[in-house]
Amino acid sequence: MTDALSLINFSMRDVDQAPESPGLYAWYVSFRAGPHDWKIKPGPNGDQAIEGFLNLLRKYAGYYEPLPIGLAGRGAYGAKWQGSLELDYPLREPQDETRVNEDDAAKRLDILMDSLDTEDRRRIMATILQRSAPVFSAPLYIGVAENLRQRLSQHRRDYTKSYDWLRDHPEDAEEVKARGKSFGARAAARNIAMEHLEAWVIDLADEENDEVTKKHLRNTAESAEWLLHRLYSPILGRQ
């Protein structure tokens, strides 16, 4: 038995290189930005790169936006109440400028805008976000597999199939986002680019021995998966 579990990562494009062994895995979405995003772009109203970089942050934050919560209840005389509760997500594009400007989120947004007002500050922000996943960030999805390569490859096939479908049927995106039957489908519905998705895996192959059988490993991995779901609540997992 090894002293430390093997922890490696693969982009979604490269999951066919994952080990054919049991283990756990977690999907993350990386933040991508380059000099063309943070360099100054002079315009008639000042540096246009500020708003462009803010929109990049909004898109990335949108990958993690929680779905609305369905509510239902009963009132007097059998009356039924139902509806949905939607989070006022701080980086969403404001719909009501007057209302948004009055709340604390708007003040925080102003502070964020100030932190993007120079080329160097935008570069530093991009570097922090690029390096934060997966060390600081919550995973999109956590799973367990008897064969990591096969399972991750299935995720890629689900993503590709759904992405191709949604390209021709964009009106189905909200339905797939809420009720897609696979991680790949739900990731495609949030319009996450494949090259931004990466899986970190814990390979359990070296842990198997006479005392710890493959069945034991599977049971342990499933228990760990259950616990990790409750600790990190991955946004694209099954609720």
Side-chain angles (χ1 to χ4, degrees):
M1 184 178 294
T2 58
D3 293 331
L5 296 175
S6 173
L7 180 63
I8 47 181
N9 70 303
F10 303 90
S11 72
M12 181 173 267
R13 295 187 182 279
D14 299 327
V15 292
D16 50 358
Q17 298 176 25
E20 295 185 281
S21 52
L24 286 96
Y25 62 91
W27 283 103
Y28 292 86
V29 55
S30 60
F31 180 80
R32 300 291 180 90
H36 62 283
D37 296 303
W38 61 66
K39 283 189 176 296
I40 295 173
K41 297 176 183 176
N45 298 317
D47 186 0
Q48 293 180 317
I50 297 175
E51 186 66 27
F53 200 90
L54 179 61
N55 288 335
L56 195 63
L57 295 180
R58 281 182 170 137
K59 181 178 180 181
Y60 184 68
Y63 298 150
Y64 289 91
E65 183 172 352
L67 294 170
I69 298 173
L71 301 174
R74 288 186 175 274
Y77 305 106
K80 295 181 180 179
W81 298 74
Q82 64 181 17
S84 63
L85 191 64
E86 188 173 352
L87 179 67
D88 189 4
Y89 206 55
L91 278 179
R92 184 186 300 153
E93 188 73 34
Q95 302 297 319
D96 184 341
E97 197 67 32
T98 302
R99 181 187 64 80
V100 171
N101 282 340
E102 294 175 350
D103 61 25
D104 291 338
K107 297 176 183 177
R108 174 52 59 181
L109 188 59
D110 287 340
I111 295 173
L112 175 61
M113 290 288 284
D114 288 342
S115 71
L116 305 178
D117 65 356
T118 71
E119 184 176 310
D120 279 341
R121 288 183 179 183
R122 291 191 291 271
R123 176 182 56 78
I124 292 170
M125 175 69 79
T127 302
I128 290 172
L129 292 176
Q130 287 166 351
R131 294 183 180 177
S132 66
V135 179
F136 293 135
S137 64
L140 295 175
Y141 185 90
I142 296 173
V144 63
E146 293 184 5
N147 185 311
L148 286 164
R149 183 183 301 178
Q150 288 182 5
R151 187 69 178 121
L152 296 177
S153 295
Q154 180 63 54
H155 283 311
R156 184 173 62 185
R157 288 193 294 272
D158 292 339
Y159 174 94
T160 301
K161 181 179 179 181
S162 297
Y163 190 89
D164 290 344
W165 170 266
L166 292 170
R167 184 173 52 195
D168 296 328
H169 303 84
E171 68 279 3
D172 292 343
E174 290 302 315
E175 177 68 18
V176 177
K177 185 188 296 186
R179 299 180 177 83
K181 295 182 179 180
S182 68
F183 161 75
R186 296 189 290 274
R190 291 195 179 227
N191 201 29
I192 303 175
M194 179 184 286
E195 58 268 24
H196 294 180
L197 289 166
E198 60 181 25
W200 285 75
V201 308
I202 297 177
D203 184 357
L204 296 176
D206 293 338
E207 301 302 312
E208 185 177 353
N209 56 38
D210 292 339
E211 297 296 326
V212 182
T213 66
K214 185 170 292 187
K215 181 179 179 180
H216 291 140
L217 286 176
R218 174 73 184 187
N219 290 341
T220 301
E222 287 179 347
S223 295
E225 178 197 28
W226 179 88
L227 178 60
L228 292 170
H229 278 155
R230 281 142 188 84
L231 289 175
Y232 300 124
S233 301
I235 196 71
L236 295 188
R238 291 188 181 277
Q239 301 300 315

